[in-house]
Amino acid sequence: MPCATPAPAHAPSMLHRLAAEHATGAYTRAGGTLFLVEGRIVHAESPAAPGLEALLSCGTGPHRGGGRQPRTRTGSDSGSAGHPAGAGPRVPGGVLELCASVALHDAAFFVLAPGGGPGRFRRGVRPWPHVTGCVTAAALEREAVRRRTFLDRIWPDGRLDALPPVPARSVSPADRAAGPPAPVPGRRRAVLELADGVRTASDIARELRRPAFHTLVDVRRLAAAGLLVPAPPPPVRAGPARAQPVPGEFPDPDVSLLRRLRDALEAW
Amino acid sequence: MPGIDESLLEAMRLPGARSAAVVDWVSGLALGVAGEAPGGDHEAAACETAELARMVAEYRSFGPLTTARGPDGSTAVPPVEDIITTNADSYHLLRFVTGALDGSFFLHLWLARDEGNLALARMRLARIADRMVL
């Protein structure tokens, strides 16, 4: 399988500039936030990616290491990935380091997704209470681009990343003639069982306490096997008559109000 | 409880070790590398070895289809412990790391054939993999 890594194509230029300036702060786009310390990314958060705590409890059964607690309990595990302060003595150093690195790239994949906007930077903001890695912006972007290419090589349907996957109901006569379907490995069967047309890939990841990207990979592989399709997007509601504005009837925008709003947002 | 770098350094102390890496086989991400890159590119090597590891981990021919479950219901040991490939002058040894993230990590050791001892490397890599999650 060819694994050549293409050059970053959609890299937000602001991130390049911040890395070159050795800036420290929080860089936010539509998909989440990267935390920079002296130009390097030390932590990433995305609502689409389960946090570090969720990953630490994934498949860490006590079958080795005799009796260590597999789960960490330090508050919520939704979205934000902070260092599990109370879990320190119970999580092995190697596992913590591995999962932290996975969590950072997992969230960064969504932050660096194309179409996330130029982003905004809050200088001086540091991740609390801990950093989860230390990666250059170039390496992070290279990995995000490689991941997008990787997904499309498995099954080129980007709708599956955002729309809830749903089991494919109809099996074509050609498929039936090809014999029984290929067996689904255990980890993918768990994803297939949760694909109900309501949960997105990120929801399934959160439920299984797995990295969101792992679930995206599994969803694409299931789609390639003909077992999942993206749920149809919700129908656009036929609005009342005013949903079709007549051109030229907009009142002039309140420019001073918009300016004040922008200033307030930037100062925040 | 050694971290990534300590574990890779320990692997590199094996006689004949050319490189060592820890890789996530679902995504193909190299989480740590040491030594010279197999094929000249650590990231490409991680992708390629991840593809091999995935096939062996998932294909029924190499083990049971259903991953065994631990007593607490968590996903336990992957059906395969390690993968060995040999060529004219070197060995590649892949060891699955169990007990973290649904067993999606493995260690990759590249060993020069004339200096390395495959049996010793296999035992040592198994110990390193176990200690990473202890």
Side-chain angles (χ1 to χ4, degrees):
Chain A
M1 188 174 191
C3 288
T5 309
H10 303 286
S13 57
M14 191 191 219
L15 184 60
H16 284 289
R17 189 162 48 77
L18 294 169
E21 283 174 9
H22 300 284
T24 295
Y27 173 64
T28 303
R29 295 179 86 213
T33 301
L34 302 180
F35 291 88
L36 286 82
V37 171
E38 292 174 5
R40 285 176 166 245
I41 292 90
V42 297
H43 182 61
E45 289 179 3
S46 168
L52 173 58
E53 261 195 44
L55 303 191
L56 284 173
S57 65
C58 167
T60 52
H63 56 282
R64 289 184 194 275
R68 91 175 141 77
Q69 293 293 315
R71 296 203 168 190
T72 56
R73 294 185 188 85
T74 52
S76 83
D77 53 37
S78 62
S80 75
H83 181 264
R90 284 182 291 174
V91 178
V95 174
L96 182 62
E97 220 180 315
L98 290 169
C99 288
S101 190
V102 167
L104 193 156
H105 282 283
D106 201 38
F109 175 74
F110 295 99
V111 181
L112 297 177
R120 46 189 287 273
F121 188 63
R122 283 172 289 156
R123 212 166 280 277
V125 176
R126 284 174 182 264
W128 185 89
H130 209 276
V131 299
T132 49
C134 185
V135 186
T136 64
L140 203 69
E141 283 170 13
R142 204 165 56 237
E143 177 61 16
V145 170
R146 185 192 69 80
R147 287 179 172 218
R148 260 189 299 283
T149 312
F150 181 57
L151 287 179
D152 284 340
R153 203 180 295 135
I154 296 168
W155 187 250
D157 187 350
R159 294 175 301 166
L160 288 159
D161 300 351
L163 293 173
V166 63
R169 296 201 188 285
S170 62
V171 179
S172 72
D175 290 342
R176 215 170 281 135
V184 180
R187 53 170 293 120
R188 271 210 286 293
R189 199 177 314 129
V191 174
L192 186 59
E193 281 165 5
L194 289 175
D196 55 2
V198 177
R199 296 178 177 96
T200 62
S202 286
D203 295 335
I204 294 172
R206 207 164 286 120
E207 206 139 322
L208 294 173
R209 298 174 162 263
R210 288 181 186 168
F213 185 74
H214 283 196
T215 310
L216 292 181
V217 169
D218 284 332
V219 165
R220 296 270 187 129
R221 290 198 194 282
L222 288 164
L227 297 170
L228 283 184
V229 292
V236 180
R237 225 175 287 160
R242 59 190 286 258
Q244 293 284 329
V246 181
E249 280 198 358
F250 286 115
D252 285 339
D254 185 342
V255 175
S256 65
L257 174 68
L258 290 174
R259 283 221 178 94
R260 285 208 308 278
L261 201 58
R262 187 195 62 193
D263 292 346
L265 282 170
E266 281 179 353
W268 182 66
Chain B
M1 49 174 82
I4 296 173
D5 288 346
E6 294 89 335
S7 300
L8 294 181
L9 282 176
E10 193 181 341
M12 288 299 288
R13 278 200 290 271
L14 275 158
R18 286 184 178 182
S19 78
V22 59
V23 179
D24 164 19
W25 60 259
V26 182
S27 69
L29 171 69
L31 295 141
V33 292
E36 60 182 300
D41 181 344
H42 277 298
E43 288 178 17
C47 277
E48 289 169 5
T49 49
E51 192 62 16
L52 172 66
R54 180 184 75 79
M55 288 187 174
V56 175
E58 290 189 342
Y59 282 4
R60 191 161 50 171
S61 313
F62 300 106
L65 179 65
T66 311
T67 309
R69 299 247 157 206
D72 64 341
S74 65
T75 313
V77 199
V80 175
E81 292 177 342
D82 37 32
I83 304 168
I84 298 164
T85 68
T86 69
N87 60 38
D89 66 1
S90 57
Y91 301 121
H92 289 269
L93 180 55
L94 275 57
R95 175 81 195 188
F96 287 95
V97 179
T98 58
L101 211 63
D102 269 343
S104 65
F105 300 120
F106 67 88
L107 286 163
H108 174 202
L109 177 68
W110 185 26
L111 212 57
R113 194 164 174 155
D114 52 356
E115 300 163 61
N117 179 330
L118 191 54
L120 172 71
R122 189 175 165 268
M123 283 191 293
R124 189 74 59 81
L125 208 58
R127 207 179 66 192
I128 294 168
D130 283 355
R131 282 178 47 201
M132 279 183 102
V133 297
L134 273 185

